[in-house]
């Protein structure tokens, strides 16, 4: 669980892999500021100070902040900023409602605040080729999306860490699959999460469920 923004450079001072809050411009392609530059109002010629920015926590800080929030879905976090008007404090669903109601005709190319926050796919850095509302509705509103997998990984980390579970190391790259005792890792293509939030390697949990074990092997909540 990283305490830095890995492979991210501040576009003003050039610092790499920095800790603290990352400020990602939602109007510029692949433009990020470290916390120090943002606080002192520094910016380069390619960025305007009035551009909306999405504040992004490191994975470690994200877990520390939200481990007791009780949130069970990535749509519940009220952490997103609208790239068009700069209004802040949206959840995924309320941002979508806002975009459809207030910015239905906007043709401005923007970065997706959800992709930026979870560093999912090319739109974590690139400007969208279509409307943000269309992108969120078709790319993020669902249980099996990339952002939901990333959220579930962080949620499981937070739950395990807060309970003092020795199978979770806050400095490791992933939680432990309790079926095979190996690390889950960070590749969303090789693991699966049940509705209770516990994660396992996909082949492990598929085999477990196929053998008439129709509940979570950890908490016994029905799948």
């Amino acid at each position: 669980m990283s305490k830095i923004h890995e492979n991210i450079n501040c576009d003003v001072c050039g610092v790499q892999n920095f800790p603290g809050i990352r400020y990602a411009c939602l109007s510029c392609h692949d433009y990020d500021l470290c916390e120090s530059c943002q606080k002192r109002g520094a910016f380069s010629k390619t960025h305007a100070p009035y551009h909306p920015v999405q504040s992004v926590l490191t994975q470690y800080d994200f877990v520390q902040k939200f481990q007791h929030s009780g949130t069970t879905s990535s749509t519940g976090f009220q952490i997103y900023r609208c790239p068009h008007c700069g209004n802040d404090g949206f959840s995924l669903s309320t941002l979508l409602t806002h975009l459809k109601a207030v910015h239905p005709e906007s043709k401005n190319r923007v970065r997706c605040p959800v992709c930026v926050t979870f560093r999912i796919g090319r739109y974590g850095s690139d400007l969208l080729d279509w409307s943000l509302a269309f992108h969120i509705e078709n790319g993020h509103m669902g249980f099996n999306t990339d952002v939901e997998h990333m959220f579930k990984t962080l949620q499981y980390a937070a739950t395990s860490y807060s309970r003092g579970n020795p199978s979770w190391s806050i400095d490791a790259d992933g939680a432990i699959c309790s079926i095979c005792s190996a690390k889950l890792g960070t590749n969303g293509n090789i693991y699966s999460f049940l509705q209770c939030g516990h994660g396992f390697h996909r082949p492990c949990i598929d085999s477990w469920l196929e053998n008439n074990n129709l509940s979570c092997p950890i908490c016994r909540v029905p799948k």
Side-chain angles (χ1 to χ4, degrees), residues 106-126:
S106 178
K107 300 185 184 304
N108 293 336
R109 296 186 66 198
V110 297
R111 287 167 80 181
C112 171
V114 185
C115 290
V116 165
T117 298
F118 289 95
R119 297 181 66 177
I120 300 296
R122 58 176 288 205
Y123 295 114
S125 57
D126 292 359

Side-chain angles (χ1 to χ4, degrees), residues 5-189:
H5 297 284
E6 295 180 356
N7 302 315
I8 297 291
N9 300 344
C10 175
D11 284 279
V12 174
C13 69
V15 65
Q16 300 178 335
N17 302 325
F18 52 87
I21 300 175
R22 164 191 167 213
Y23 292 88
C25 179
L26 299 176
S27 299
C28 299
H29 168 77
D30 196 19
Y31 189 93
D32 300 276
L33 296 173
C34 67
E35 192 169 359
S36 175
C37 288
Q38 174 68 12
K39 285 182 176 179
R40 62 189 177 89
F43 59 93
S44 63
K45 293 181 179 180
T46 60
H47 170 77
Y50 56 80
H51 284 172
V53 294
Q54 176 70 42
S55 58
V56 183
L57 300 174
T58 65
Q59 290 185 342
Y60 179 89
D61 290 338
F62 185 96
V63 167
Q64 294 299 300
K65 182 173 181 178
F66 294 110
Q67 62 178 300
H68 301 299
S69 68
T71 302
T72 58
S73 170
S74 61
T75 61
F77 290 118
Q78 297 177 342
I79 58 176
Y80 305 116
R81 184 180 295 275
C82 174
H84 298 298
C85 64
N87 287 348
D88 200 10
F90 292 105
S91 67
L92 193 56
S93 57
T94 58
L95 177 58
L96 179 59
T97 300
H98 169 80
L99 291 168
K100 287 183 174 181
V102 182
H103 309 290
E105 305 298 328
S106 178
K107 300 185 184 304
N108 293 336
R109 296 186 66 198
V110 297
R111 287 167 80 181
C112 171
V114 185
C115 290
V116 165
T117 298
F118 289 95
R119 297 181 66 177
I120 300 296
R122 58 176 288 205
Y123 295 114
S125 57
D126 292 359
L127 299 175
L128 289 170
D129 296 315
W130 43 76
S131 78
L132 179 58
F134 178 86
H135 173 76
I136 288 176
E137 192 165 37
N138 291 276
H140 294 320
M141 299 296 288
F143 180 75
N144 288 318
T145 62
D146 287 339
V147 68
E148 189 70 16
H149 276 299
M150 179 61 75
F151 163 75
K152 288 294 184 182
T153 301
L154 294 173
Q155 181 195 48
Y156 182 55
T159 302
S160 299
Y161 182 71
S162 65
R163 292 176 179 172
N165 188 340
S167 69
W168 169 253
S169 168
I170 202 67
D171 295 317
D173 288 332
I176 300 297
C177 174
S178 64
I179 298 175
C180 72
S181 300
K183 289 182 180 179
L184 283 177
T186 56
N187 184 351
N189 294 322

Side-chain angles (χ1 to χ4, degrees), residues 179 194-196 200 204-223:
I179 298 175
L194 301 181
Q195 293 290 346
C196 60
F200 312 90
C204 295
I205 193 60
D206 286 348
S207 176
W208 173 273
L209 296 174
E210 286 174 3
N211 291 323
N212 298 316
N213 297 299
L214 301 180
S215 60
C216 173
I218 295 177
C219 65
R220 301 300 176 180
V221 170
K223 68 169 185 176

